[in-house]
Each structure stands twice: as C-alpha cells, then as structure tokens.
Amino acid sequence: MPRWVAKSLALGPGLIISTAVTSMVGAALPPVGGAVLFFGGLLTALLLVLGAGEPLAARVLLISRPARDHELELVAGALTLMCRAGLGPPLVRLHVRAGEHSIGAAAFGRRTVVVSQGLLEAVEDGSLPQDQAAAVMAHAAGLVRTGWVRHDPVLGFWSLPWQMLRAVGQAVAGVGRRLPLTSTVWRLRAVVILIAVVQAMQARQVWLAVTIAGIGAVSYGMPVWERKWQRMLRLGGDDAVREASLAVPMAAFLRRCPRTPTVRERLRGLEPDAPSSRPVGLVR
C-alpha cells in the first residue's frame, strides 16, 4: 500500500471530524468570531503547509522546546554520528519534551526531531551509549529527511478538535470500562449499528442510513489503519537507520526492550543475517 494511502486512511477520518466540528462551532459564533476562526485557521494552515512556524507548532502540538546548549553537549557524540550520515544538525533541529521519562524520539515536519527527557537522562547516567542514542534519534531524523512527516504540523493543527474529542472519549471510556458489560456492548456495536441502519432505511432516510453505516465502518477500520500507518513509520525509520550504518546499535537498544511482536519484527529487519537459535529438543 502506498504510504500516502495508508496515511490518508489513518488520519483522514479525524480531519473530516475536525472540519465538521469547526464548521459547527463557527456557525454558532457571532459573525466576527466565526470569520476569525475560519480565516485565521486557513491562514495558519497555509503558513504551516509552506513550512513557516514549525518550531512554534512543535512547541504547541508536541509540548516541546528547543534543546538547550548543555543538552546538546550531552548528546554531542550521538549528533556527530548522525551528522556523518546526513541526519544531524543543521539539517534537523532538536527539541526536547520535558516530563517524558521513556526513551524515545519523534519526527515532526521538515526539520524537527523531538527527543524525550528520558533519553537525555539515560545518556547522562551512562545507561544509554552514544551510538544507541544516535540510532534512536536517527530513526526519527530519517523520517524527517525522507518526507514521511513533512505535513504533520498542518495535519496536527487541523485535527486539534478531533484530538480533544478523542481525549475526552478515552477518559469517559476509561471510566466506562469499570461498569459491567460495557466492553461487551462496545464489541457488539455492529448489531446496534445494523438495527439503526435498517430503521433508517425503513423510514426512507437513505442518507442517514449511509452516515450511520459509515460511522460504524470507520469505528472498526480506524484502529486498523492507524496501526498500519504506525508500522510503516517504524519500518521506514528502521530503513533510515540501516542506511546510516546504525542498525547494530539500534538492535542493541531494542534488545533491552520487552520482546513484543513489534520488537521481534524490527530486530529481524535490523539483523537479517543473525544466526537463528539452535532448536531445543528433549534429551533422552
């Protein structure tokens, strides 16, 4: 599947919902407020499409800030390795997400790599070698340099209403899971959707039936599409890591993680020539 198709399926429903919500809110505002919301949103989106305001977008959307001098010194060795592969500054800008203690790095826009505070702390403590830190950051930098996330600033901005609704929905769902039979009802939502579609058709409300069926299909398809897109991002970043000759340190980093199916798949891609383990058999 082409990556633009996978990304459209993963992000498209959220963008459509955001557009609908913004339109309804704008219609309910006074004329001046609605005009400010409409034209201000379009102008902001246009600037982000053209690449302007990416640092500010990274601050707001990813709750990050530019890396400070002492933080850049911490990962100087890692940045040197990245620069040798054409993935380091000044081609990319390093931002830091304070308060995130897991080790990770995220790609954003045309030039931004956001690292977690946990990555910097691990390097400072000596628990994360410089080459492994370089591999983690190169994974994100490779996605930036190859255009996988080129338009993520404008996509993130446009989908803000959907993200807020989703956060509220997840909070409500977290409470609802404690109620008996709630998860069972959600898994059987196809029955409820089918009944609603049949009732709408009987009332000759074809568009309502199509809308309900579409919402139901998206509720099943969206998680699948999102997982597909995230997998493509992981594998695309791993390709960049291999091209940067950092596959060995990346594999060493992944071996420290729990052996989930995702981690095992990535290790097979990073270590294609690794010897298979010896079969285990019973000794009589």
Side-chain angles (χ1 to χ4, degrees):
M1 178 186 296
R3 71 187 190 190
W4 69 269
V5 174
K7 191 167 188 175
S8 298
L9 289 173
L11 304 183
L15 296 175
I16 294 171
I17 293 171
S18 292
T19 303
V21 170
T22 303
S23 300
M24 289 187 292
V25 171
L29 291 174
V32 175
V36 169
L37 179 65
F38 180 75
F39 292 106
L42 287 180
L43 178 60
T44 301
L46 177 61
L47 291 173
L48 291 173
V49 167
L50 297 176
E54 184 175 308
L56 179 59
R59 279 180 177 270
V60 175
L61 298 176
L62 300 183
I63 317 175
S64 64
R65 55 167 175 78
R68 295 165 182 160
D69 290 340
H70 73 278
E71 292 169 334
L72 294 174
E73 291 175 1
L74 276 177
V75 292
L79 293 178
T80 299
L81 293 174
M82 291 174 61
C83 287
R84 291 176 182 171
L87 297 176
L91 297 176
V92 299
R93 290 182 294 249
L94 206 64
H95 276 232
V96 178
R97 188 167 187 176
E100 184 176 340
H101 298 291
S102 60
I103 299 175
F108 186 74
R110 304 172 186 227
R111 293 184 57 193
T112 306
V113 170
V114 181
V115 301
S116 64
Q117 180 181 338
L119 184 146
L120 299 175
E121 292 172 344
V123 171
E124 185 176 21
D125 296 341
S127 59
L128 184 67
Q130 291 282 348
D131 60 345
Q132 293 184 26
V136 173
M137 291 189 289
H139 186 279
L143 296 175
V144 169
R145 298 302 299 161
T146 52
W148 283 79
V149 295
R150 181 180 181 86
H151 297 301
D152 275 18
V154 67
L155 295 175
F157 165 73
W158 200 264
S159 64
L160 275 176
W162 161 244
Q163 295 298 337
M164 290 187 287
L165 288 174
R166 189 172 193 172
V168 173
Q170 288 175 343
V172 173
V175 176
R177 289 191 190 98
R178 302 172 187 173
L179 301 177
L181 301 180
T182 302
S183 60
T184 302
V185 171
W186 174 248
R187 287 196 296 268
L188 296 176
R189 65 191 182 278
V191 177
V192 178
I193 293 169
L194 180 59
I195 293 173
V197 169
V198 171
Q199 290 177 340
M201 291 296 293
Q202 289 175 344
R204 300 182 183 276
Q205 296 177 334
V206 178
W207 285 109
L208 178 59
V210 171
T211 301
I212 294 172
I215 293 173
V218 168
S219 72
Y220 281 99
M222 197 168 180
V224 176
W225 301 331
E226 289 178 341
R227 288 194 296 270
K228 173 70 174 178
W229 174 241
Q230 291 302 318
R231 179 177 180 271
M232 291 179 70
L233 284 176
R234 285 193 300 268
L235 298 181
D238 286 344
D239 288 341
V241 168
R242 283 195 298 271
E243 292 176 5
S245 301
L246 291 170
V248 172
M250 175 58 88
F253 170 75
L254 290 174
R255 281 195 293 268
R256 301 165 53 178
C257 303
R259 292 299 181 93
T260 63
T262 296
V263 170
R264 292 180 184 277
E265 179 187 28
R266 294 182 65 187
L267 284 172
R268 287 194 296 270
L270 292 166
E271 300 176 313
D273 299 325
S276 58
S277 58
R278 185 177 179 181
V280 178
L282 293 176
V283 178
R284 298 182 181 275

